[in-house]
Amino acid sequence: MDDAIAPNILPRWYGSLDATLGMKAPLRFLGREDTSDMPFLTGEFLSAPLMADDGRIDMVLGAAHYSGSRSWEEVEAEAREALGLDQA
């Protein structure tokens, strides 16, 4: 990953991998595109732990879906509402 991901966002990638391995459960992430001069893209990411042949969880399966059909503000507001984060 060090050769493929921009250094300024590499800590986020490692953070998501570490969180997935630490939780030992699939995680969903939402985010804005911060690379390639495409700030109009939003992304939804799945990060799922995988078990090795010896029973250790030491791998992560990742998948991403990018879209430009909705603004980040709309995606964020919907997620915050679904999680109950905007309730007074």
Side-chain angles (χ1 to χ4, degrees), residues 8-88:
N8 62 321
I9 61 171
L10 191 58
R12 290 187 231 170
W13 283 80
Y14 280 120
S16 68
L17 296 173
D18 290 342
T20 303
L21 292 172
M23 293 296 296
K24 296 183 172 87
L27 298 176
R28 175 185 181 222
F29 298 94
L30 298 173
R32 293 178 289 187
E33 178 62 41
D34 284 339
T35 59
S36 305
D37 297 324
M38 295 185 200
F40 58 89
L41 289 178
T42 59
E44 183 170 357
F45 308 91
L46 166 70
S47 185
L50 297 176
M51 188 179 297
D53 291 338
D54 64 5
R56 291 182 303 122
I57 295 175
D58 64 354
M59 297 177 282
V60 174
L61 170 70
H65 175 264
Y66 289 96
S67 174
S69 64
R70 299 190 314 152
S71 71
W72 168 249
E73 290 75 17
E74 184 180 349
V75 172
E76 179 185 30
E78 182 180 280
R80 293 181 65 80
E81 181 178 341
L83 294 169
L85 297 176
D86 286 333
Q87 297 176 354

